Amino acid sequence: MTSKPTTILIRDLRVGECVSFDGGRIKVCLREKSGRAARLQFEVPEAVGIDKPRQAANDEGHPTPLDSATL
């Protein structure tokens, strides 16, 4: 069984900064940072599937990019 090569990117971002992938087709931006939590915004084509993580016990029910009409 052969697995696909994996690329791992570790990047420090400041609030308001973004990183893009696939020639700008996919974009991830850091919107807020507080302690150990960060709010990320994902801009992806509709055809790209995003697995929504389980809700954390301390999540205050803030809308996620998938729940929000504005990406």
Side-chain angles (χ1 to χ4, degrees):
M1 177 183 230
T2 321
S3 63
K4 292 182 179 180
T6 302
T7 300
I8 297 173
L9 170 68
I10 298 174
R11 168 98 194 261
D12 292 330
L13 295 175
R14 295 175 194 248
V15 172
E17 291 183 329
C18 303
V19 61
S20 62
F21 305 91
D22 198 21
R25 196 172 79 93
I26 297 171
K27 188 170 157 182
V28 180
C29 300
L30 178 59
R31 290 293 163 220
E32 296 177 30
K33 174 76 176 92
S34 176
R36 295 183 64 166
R39 174 160 297 185
L40 302 176
Q41 174 179 327
F42 297 86
E43 296 180 25
V44 299
E46 288 186 24
V48 174
I50 298 177
D51 295 328
K52 191 173 180 180
R54 66 176 181 80
Q55 188 170 356
N58 62 352
D59 190 345
E60 298 173 6
H62 296 293
T64 64
L66 295 177
D67 298 329
S68 176
T70 57
L71 287 179

